[in-house]
Amino acid sequence: MEKNLENVLIGIKRFTSKADKPCTIGLVLRSFSQREMDYGSVGQVVDEIFMPSSFVLKDEHIGHALKLEYDVSSGRAYLNNVVVL
């Protein structure tokens, strides 16, 4: 198993919000951070990440690494861009 697996797309959830807008969640596999491992975590974790409406995940993106670009506003991180590697 690869030691430093970072942000690999392994699944896509698509649904319609209550406001009748299309939504997409990317299921992203990553390694635990060093801090998480220091506290006893072992293996890998799957994060569910809401994708920005400006980015469309395609089925062919499954298995590819993603570069997730965030902005910080008022102390909160917001995903503003996704690049498929």
Side-chain angles (χ1 to χ4, degrees):
M1 187 172 290
E2 192 173 333
K3 185 176 181 180
N4 289 317
L5 188 61
E6 291 298 327
N7 298 328
V8 174
L9 183 68
I10 61 168
I12 301 170
K13 289 184 183 179
R14 295 183 182 101
F15 60 96
T16 302
S17 71
K18 291 180 183 177
D20 204 33
K21 294 184 179 183
C23 297
T24 304
I25 296 175
L27 296 140
V28 178
L29 181 69
R30 66 169 175 85
S31 298
F32 282 108
S33 68
Q34 186 60 52
R35 181 177 179 191
E36 290 168 315
M37 289 187 291
D38 290 346
Y39 284 101
S41 297
V42 178
Q44 298 169 323
V45 64
V46 175
D47 292 323
E48 291 190 357
I49 300 174
F50 277 88
M51 293 292 131
S53 59
S54 60
F55 185 78
V56 178
L57 282 176
K58 299 177 182 175
D59 294 353
E60 56 264 23
H61 294 155
I62 300 288
H64 289 267
L66 301 178
K67 179 180 178 185
L68 306 172
E69 298 174 355
Y70 290 87
D71 281 335
V72 177
S73 176
S74 301
R76 185 169 175 187
Y78 294 92
L79 182 62
N80 70 355
N81 193 33
V82 180
V83 178
V84 179
L85 304 174

